Amino acid sequence: MPATLASSRKRSSAPARRAGGRTAAAPRATLRIAVVGGAGHVGLPLSLVLATHGFPVTIIDHDRRKIEALKQKRLPFLEEGAQPLLDALAAPALAFSSSHQDVATADVIILTVGTPLDDHLNPDLTQVYGAIEQIRPSLRDGQVLVLRSTLFPGTSEKIQERLRALGLKVGVSFCPERIAQGKAIKELGELPQLISASDARTLAIVRRVFSAFNREVIELGMVEAELAKLFTNAWRYIKFAVANQFYMTATEKGLDFYRIRDAMMRRYERVADFPAAGFAAGPCLLKDTMQLAAYNRQHFAVGHAAMLLNETLPDFLVEQVKRRRALSGARVGILGMAFKADNDDHRESLAYKLRKLLEYEGATVLCSDPYIADPSFVPAAQALRCDVVFIGCPHTAYRQLSFEGRDVVDCWGLTRQGRAA
Ligand SMILES: NC(=O)c1ccc[n+]([C@@H]2O[C@H](COP(=O)([O-])OP(=O)(O)OC[C@H]3O[C@@H](n4cnc5c(N)ncnc54)[C@H](O)[C@@H]3O)[C@@H](O)[C@H]2O)c1
């Protein structure tokens, strides 16, 4: 057993602090952790929580801008509850680096880089394999590589085989992230953690890491854990598609979807998980549904149907407006460009597709978002004065606006009073 792991039985001297919604127990280990991709939406909150629970953590990210911001105690994006943790941590509890060589001193390396789709909706593992290639010269026997990015099923085993073929005795683990973006600090402590590993020793080490901040750790095989993550996201994406289908059906017939939905849901628990309509977007849900489709040789009718419904909601909304007024020459406002409420992330946001469609129709489009710094955006009040106003993202702040007398397109139900959430 490597010295670092042998000495890991000692209790950490770091004080127990609060994170993840409960009091942190003193760590049972002094495993040193490096998080590659650690300045991202998954890597950063996980790093903060692990460091808060006494593991010395080094965040390694090739985005030097984010690393510099973090060194100056500035978060690169909105993350509830993260700022106090960042403020409270200093080296060696939390260190920052742009050098992949720094994995050399870690006992556990956690990989949290992106796993997007390519232009043909196939999984693109370039970032994962690229990062592994960069850390490879610094890896050594006895280390543990935890894959936290969402992976195409079978990838963890393939990575294990590659490392073994290189003669490296590095344990491989897949432990998917399931937080809602922006809520990670709270949810990391609350959501059961799924863990899996290539061998018993690696499993014991990841169990130690994840049970330091969460009471409930569930073991699976690596492919099972990869599928559990994809099933979770595809399930949510399909549910949103059903709500959007019902919204389009009711609206097409001139009926009020939310009036029907409110009546359905009142004191009727069996439909308690019926979501509101809205843009089902962002960097994960469509992407992971398509990863599952690729895994199933594209035999995934319900997943593809969900994509067609969710991705065409902006087109549907534009067509509805065109039935009652010309868009050519009109001034159209979009309130909210982020992909989800009260967040600054605009990755894969359908509000941008909406803008493109409106511009194609010849409208002048004024976009607004309180969380996104874009010099072309206008204040909400200015967007609100346009001929037609779309709610592109239901930020809570918009509930304070008066939509009286405005021509508003609101598939989310944000502007309705007292509808079921
Ligand atoms: N965003 C979420 O809420 C969420 C939730 C669950 C799972 N996931 C999954 O987690 C993974 C990461 O998603 P994210 O939203 O955090 O992405 P992100 O783009 O916010 O973060 C990825 C980070 O990795 C860094 N990076 C990329 N390649 C690197 C390399 N070779 N070396 C060092 N740093 C590198 C990037 O600079 C970036 O900071 C994806 O697989 C995603 O599907 C995301």
Side-chain angles (χ1 to χ4, degrees):
M1 183 179 281
T4 46
L5 294 182
S7 64
S8 72
R9 295 201 188 88
K10 288 185 211 143
R11 282 196 171 268
S12 163
S13 57
R17 300 187 187 95
R18 273 190 85 75
R22 63 189 180 86
T23 305
R28 295 162 50 218
T30 52
L31 295 168
R32 293 165 301 177
I33 298 178
V35 182
V36 179
H41 291 84
V42 163
L44 180 56
L46 181 63
S47 300
L48 293 172
V49 167
L50 289 169
T52 300
H53 284 76
F55 296 102
V57 174
T58 302
I59 286 181
I60 299 172
D61 203 292
H62 67 183
D63 187 332
R64 290 172 192 273
R65 209 173 31 88
K66 285 193 214 160
I67 290 292
E68 284 313 309
L70 287 167
K71 281 182 180 168
Q72 292 163 29
K73 303 277 184 202
R74 284 189 287 110
L75 293 172
F77 45 80
L78 288 180
E79 187 62 53
E80 275 178 42
Q83 191 65 55
L85 302 190
L86 180 62
D87 289 343
L89 292 161
L94 184 67
F96 307 98
S97 169
S98 295
S99 169
H100 293 90
Q101 291 173 6
D102 285 339
V103 300
T105 52
D107 303 303
V108 176
I109 300 153
I110 305 180
L111 198 68
T112 61
V113 300
T115 50
L117 296 173
D118 68 13
D119 289 347
H120 306 281
L121 303 183
N122 299 307
D124 175 1
L125 290 164
T126 315
Q127 285 188 45
V128 171
Y129 285 122
I132 291 176
E133 196 49 34
Q134 285 166 304
I135 62 174
R136 192 184 52 79
S138 308
L139 293 178
R140 58 186 164 74
D141 291 352
Q143 286 179 312
V144 164
L145 176 64
V146 179
L147 306 161
R148 185 72 162 172
S149 304
T150 304
L151 295 178
F152 182 73
T155 305
S156 304
E157 286 178 357
K158 291 236 174 321
I159 290 170
Q160 181 200 351
E161 284 162 20
R162 277 194 188 200
L163 295 175
R164 201 185 297 142
L166 291 165
L168 278 164
K169 293 192 181 71
V170 170
V172 173
S173 160
F174 176 70
C175 303
E177 180 58 85
R178 298 193 298 162
I179 49 99
Q181 196 168 305
K183 312 269 183 214
I185 301 296
K186 182 167 174 285
E187 291 192 352
L188 278 166
E190 292 177 353
L191 301 177
Q193 297 295 306
L194 307 185
I195 63 167
S196 65
S198 56
D199 57 275
R201 174 182 176 271
T202 304
L203 192 63
I205 290 171
V206 293
R207 173 176 279 284
R208 218 189 296 174
V209 171
F210 287 92
S211 58
F213 63 84
N214 194 298
R215 282 195 194 90
E216 203 172 348
V217 173
I218 301 170
E219 284 175 23
L220 285 172
M222 291 205 288
V223 178
E224 287 175 333
E226 289 164 336
L227 272 176
K229 172 63 191 176
L230 294 187
F231 284 169
T232 302
N233 275 3
W235 169 250
R236 295 189 66 229
Y237 191 65
I238 291 163
K239 274 207 308 191
F240 292 138
V242 172
N244 286 335
Q245 169 80 85
F246 291 173
Y247 172 83
M248 290 190 257
T249 300
T251 308
E252 188 99 64
K253 302 289 180 192
L255 298 168
D256 182 341
F257 168 74
Y258 284 104
R259 188 175 143 79
I260 300 165
R261 179 175 176 269
D262 287 353
M264 277 171 66
M265 294 182 73
R266 193 165 314 160
R267 293 199 303 101
Y268 195 73
E269 285 302 307
R270 286 193 283 274
V271 292
D273 63 345
F274 178 22
F279 294 162
C284 290
L285 296 188
L286 167 62
K287 185 254 297 183
D288 292 345
T289 305
M290 291 304 107
Q291 295 213 67
L292 197 50
Y295 183 59
N296 216 30
R297 296 182 320 283
Q298 303 302 339
H299 292 285
F300 190 25
V302 69
H304 286 121
M307 174 176 68
L308 294 179
L309 289 161
N310 288 331
E311 286 289 305
T312 57
L313 183 56
D315 311 60
F316 173 84
L317 299 177
V318 170
E319 287 304 317
Q320 290 295 305
V321 174
K322 277 171 65 185
R323 285 184 189 182
R324 62 172 189 270
R325 62 161 302 145
L327 280 170
S328 179
R331 283 166 68 81
V332 179
I334 305 180
L335 288 175
M337 300 300 290
F339 89 81
K340 67 182 288 187
D342 306 331
N343 200 282
D344 60 352
D345 195 346
H346 55 78
R347 290 179 295 172
E348 311 299 328
S349 165
L350 282 172
Y352 288 81
K353 180 173 186 176
L354 175 64
R355 177 172 76 179
K356 198 196 274 186
L357 291 169
L358 291 165
E359 285 174 345
Y360 179 74
E361 294 296 336
T364 300
V365 185
L366 302 187
C367 301
S368 181
D369 194 296
Y371 300 108
I372 300 174
D374 183 325
S376 74
F377 286 7
V378 301
Q382 196 178 336
L384 200 52
R385 284 196 294 273
C386 288
D387 304 321
V388 184
V389 181
F390 285 80
I391 306 295
C393 176
H395 292 311
T396 309
Y398 295 151
R399 292 182 192 275
Q400 310 307 319
L401 298 175
S402 168
F403 293 95
E404 193 75 30
R406 310 311 315 172
D407 183 354
V408 181
V409 182
D410 172 20
C411 63
W412 314 83
L414 172 102
T415 55
R416 287 177 61 93
Q417 296 299 317
R419 75 155 178 81

